[in-house]
């Protein structure tokens, strides 16, 4: 009897396990979307969606390199879902967002607030929270999605790879949809996003192209938000300051002037950056202490600097600390005085250490944040000059 009972249980479990998915579609009926751009038609009050759909035949191994691997289509609608439904009028496939890598949003649309825009993507069971959010200057959305550049033949995947590789580049910032939501809906920190555009790049003779230059895609700087609304941008130097404070980038590169010759440079590779923000209440005033610790290696030397001398190492460390402090100050000055946007999370750290004070201040944090004081302490230890203390033919480099 007991044996029959277990057999019956196993049969019931198999029924549930082996049933097919109710919403599956055959591969030859879906159009895989790798990137989407969003703009707004001010005259017709419509959302303009530019989608990048993969062409299966062009992805085959024997496909021609000259054949585009994607189809770029523009659709419009009163909402994003309306526009996507209209896509079926132009393509013979069901739109599939499961492989979407990036959402590129026009600056004008972003200044109005992007939470309503992201609602469609958050509700869809197809969409992953890890897709990137980037802001494009007006008129650049189609340019960004339409440029074919890089080794990969699908632009959406190319953009995704650029962002992943760029995590070691302190001059750029990027955020995925999940973290954007967390910042927007949380307390004490405002969101940021990547900034994407196009740039003219030279073509080399070996590339055998018709013109001397071609357009490519470039990430640069930081899009600053107040809540879910875009309020402005940080340039590359200010973006580095932001990354030094927040630790979004653990590694980076800095060029500093040589001690021997100010017209020559020494390349420093920063590693293991560990920033901390410590709030403190002093005489009823809120002060934030910013500490940045890390290590550095000598990547390149363009003069005859002798790194076996400990005094030289100390001088270079001092220069590094001055540069990092300067970039951090530039960032804080911009977000406090120009944008009034707490993207570094001062409020979040205050809430963590002094929750009662935060409860008192959070409703008028917009008035408090631009006036809070801070200190900056940077400690970078140079660990290695590489495989040699002195450059080859150092006498000729003096």
């Amino acid at each position: 009897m007991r044996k029959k009972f277990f057999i019956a249980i196993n049969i019931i479990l198999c029924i549930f396990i082996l049933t097919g998915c109710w919403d599956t579609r055959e591969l030859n009926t879906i159009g895989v979307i790798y990137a989407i751009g969003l703009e707004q038609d001010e005259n017709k009050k419509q959302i303009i969606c530019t989608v990048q759909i993969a062409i299966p035949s062009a992805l085959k191994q024997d496909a021609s390199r000259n054949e585009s691997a994607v189809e770029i289509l523009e659709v419009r609608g009163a909402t994003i879902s309306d526009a996507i439904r209209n896509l079926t009028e132009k393509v013979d496939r069901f739109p599939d967002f499961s492989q979407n890598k990036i959402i590129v949003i026009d600056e004008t649309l972003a200044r109005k607030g992007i939470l309503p825009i992201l609602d469609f993507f958050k509700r869809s069971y197809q969409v992953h929270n890890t897709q990137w959010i980037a802001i494009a200057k007006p008129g650049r959305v189609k340019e960004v999605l339409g440029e074919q550049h890089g080794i990969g033949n699908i632009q959406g995947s190319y953009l995704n790879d650029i962002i992943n590789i760029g995590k070691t580049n302190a001059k750029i910032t990027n955020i995925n949809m999940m973290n954007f939501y967390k910042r927007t809906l949380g307390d004490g920190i405002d969101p940021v996003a990547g900034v994407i555009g196009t740039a003219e790049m030279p073509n080399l003779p070996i590339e055998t192209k018709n013109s001397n230059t071609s357009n490519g895609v470039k990430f640069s700087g930081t899009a600053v938000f107040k809540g879910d609304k875009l309020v402005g941008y940080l340039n590359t130097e200010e973006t580095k300051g932001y990354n030094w404070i927040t630790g979004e980038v653990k590694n980076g590169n800095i060029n500093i002037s040589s001690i021997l010759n100010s017209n020559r440079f020494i390349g420093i590779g920063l590693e293991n950056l560990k920033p901390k923000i410590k709030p403190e209440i002093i005489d009823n005033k809120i002060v934030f202490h910013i500490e940045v610790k890390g290590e550095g290696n000598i990547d390149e030397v363009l003069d005859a600097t002798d790194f076996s001398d400990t005094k030289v190492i100390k001088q270079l460390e001092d220069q590094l600390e001055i540069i990092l402090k300067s970039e951090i100050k530039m960032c804080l000055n911009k977000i406090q005085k120009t944008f009034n946007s707490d993207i570094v999370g001062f409020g979040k750290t205050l809430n963590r250490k002094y929750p009662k004070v935060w409860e008192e201040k959070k409703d008028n944090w917009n008035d408090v944040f631009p006036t809070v004081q801070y200190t900056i302490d940077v400690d970078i230890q140079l660990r290695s000059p590489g495989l040699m203390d002195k450059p080859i033919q150092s006498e000729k480099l003096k």
Side-chain angles (χ1 to χ4, degrees), residues 108-243:
T108 305
L109 194 56
R111 289 188 182 275
K112 297 179 179 181
I114 70 172
L115 282 186
I117 301 170
L118 298 179
D119 185 85
F120 167 80
F121 300 97
K122 286 294 290 183
R123 291 179 186 274
S124 174
Y125 65 89
Q126 291 184 351
V127 177
H128 299 295
N129 283 325
T130 54
Q131 60 187 328
W132 303 103
I133 295 174
I135 307 302
K137 295 294 180 68
R140 296 292 179 88
V141 171
K142 293 182 182 62
E143 289 185 17
V144 167
L145 296 186
E147 290 296 342
Q148 176 61 46
H149 204 75
I151 297 175
N153 55 359
I154 297 180
Q155 182 73 345
S157 293
Y158 164 71
L159 297 177
N160 179 63
D161 293 340
I162 287 291
I163 292 172
N164 284 322
I165 293 171
K167 289 178 180 178
T168 59
N169 186 347
K171 296 179 181 179
I172 64 177
T173 301
N174 286 293
I175 195 169
N176 60 33
M177 187 168 67
M178 177 178 62
N179 288 326
F180 188 93
Y181 256 86
K182 284 182 178 179
R183 285 185 171 220
T184 306
L185 302 179
D187 279 338
I189 187 168
D190 285 301
V192 296
V195 183
I196 188 171
T198 56
E200 193 173 61
M201 301 179 181
N203 293 328
L204 301 178
I206 195 173
E207 296 179 289
T208 62
K209 295 184 178 180
N210 296 327
S211 61
N212 294 328
T213 62
S214 61
N215 280 341
V217 176
K218 181 179 181 181
F219 286 89
S220 180
T222 304
V224 179
F225 284 76
K226 181 72 174 175
D228 73 324
K229 296 181 179 179
L230 175 69
V231 292
Y233 301 95
L234 300 181
N235 62 28
T236 55
E237 300 303 311
E238 295 159 348
T239 294
K240 287 194 291 184
Y242 166 78
N243 283 319

Side-chain angles (χ1 to χ4, degrees), residues 95-382:
D96 181 272
F97 286 92
S98 62
Q99 298 300 315
N100 192 55
K101 307 299 183 185
I102 187 170
I103 304 171
V104 181
I105 303 173
D106 177 73
E107 176 191 290
T108 305
L109 194 56
R111 289 188 182 275
K112 297 179 179 181
I114 70 172
L115 282 186
I117 301 170
L118 298 179
D119 185 85
F120 167 80
F121 300 97
K122 286 294 290 183
R123 291 179 186 274
S124 174
Y125 65 89
Q126 291 184 351
V127 177
H128 299 295
N129 283 325
T130 54
Q131 60 187 328
W132 303 103
I133 295 174
I135 307 302
K137 295 294 180 68
R140 296 292 179 88
V141 171
K142 293 182 182 62
E143 289 185 17
V144 167
L145 296 186
E147 290 296 342
Q148 176 61 46
H149 204 75
I151 297 175
N153 55 359
I154 297 180
Q155 182 73 345
S157 293
Y158 164 71
L159 297 177
N160 179 63
D161 293 340
I162 287 291
I163 292 172
N164 284 322
I165 293 171
K167 289 178 180 178
T168 59
N169 186 347
K171 296 179 181 179
I172 64 177
T173 301
N174 286 293
I175 195 169
N176 60 33
M177 187 168 67
M178 177 178 62
N179 288 326
F180 188 93
Y181 256 86
K182 284 182 178 179
R183 285 185 171 220
T184 306
L185 302 179
D187 279 338
I189 187 168
D190 285 301
V192 296
V195 183
I196 188 171
T198 56
E200 193 173 61
M201 301 179 181
N203 293 328
L204 301 178
I206 195 173
E207 296 179 289
T208 62
K209 295 184 178 180
N210 296 327
S211 61
N212 294 328
T213 62
S214 61
N215 280 341
V217 176
K218 181 179 181 181
F219 286 89
S220 180
T222 304
V224 179
F225 284 76
K226 181 72 174 175
D228 73 324
K229 296 181 179 179
L230 175 69
V231 292
Y233 301 95
L234 300 181
N235 62 28
T236 55
E237 300 303 311
E238 295 159 348
T239 294
K240 287 194 291 184
Y242 166 78
N243 283 319
W244 305 147
I245 300 171
T246 60
E248 296 290 337
V249 173
K250 304 296 183 185
N251 306 311
N253 296 90
I254 287 186
N255 295 321
I256 61 177
S257 296
S258 167
I259 298 169
L260 302 179
N261 187 340
S262 60
N263 293 322
R264 292 183 176 179
F265 294 94
I266 298 173
I268 308 291
L270 301 180
E271 297 180 352
N272 303 319
L273 294 176
K274 298 177 181 178
K276 290 182 179 179
I277 301 175
K278 299 178 179 179
E280 186 178 10
I281 308 299
I282 303 175
D283 297 329
N284 293 322
K285 293 183 179 180
I286 304 171
V287 179
F288 292 91
H289 301 292
I290 301 168
E291 298 179 1
V292 180
K293 294 183 178 181
E295 301 174 353
N297 296 314
I298 309 299
D299 287 342
E300 185 177 7
V301 183
L302 300 183
D303 68 355
T305 300
D306 182 0
F307 296 104
S308 63
D309 188 342
T310 57
K311 292 181 180 179
V312 171
I313 296 295
K314 183 62 172 64
Q315 286 179 295
L316 295 177
E317 290 174 345
D318 290 343
Q319 279 196 57
L320 279 174
E321 291 165 8
I322 290 171
I323 293 173
L324 264 66
K325 281 184 179 180
S326 174
E327 291 171 345
I328 290 172
K329 286 180 180 179
M330 285 192 289
C331 170
L332 292 174
N333 183 64
K334 192 72 165 287
I335 65 175
Q336 278 190 303
K337 308 305 180 185
T338 304
F339 299 140
N340 190 9
S341 174
D342 185 5
I343 60 173
V344 296
F346 277 176
K348 187 176 181 179
T349 60
L350 182 65
N351 184 23
R352 188 181 298 125
K353 187 173 182 179
Y354 299 104
K356 292 183 179 179
V357 176
W358 173 248
E359 285 298 318
E360 296 173 0
K361 301 292 186 182
K362 69 176 184 179
D363 290 337
N364 64 334
W365 189 239
N366 287 341
D367 299 322
V368 177
F369 173 69
T371 64
V372 294
Q373 300 176 4
Y374 58 84
T375 65
I376 304 173
D377 181 32
V378 177
D379 181 16
I380 303 296
Q381 301 290 322
L382 288 178

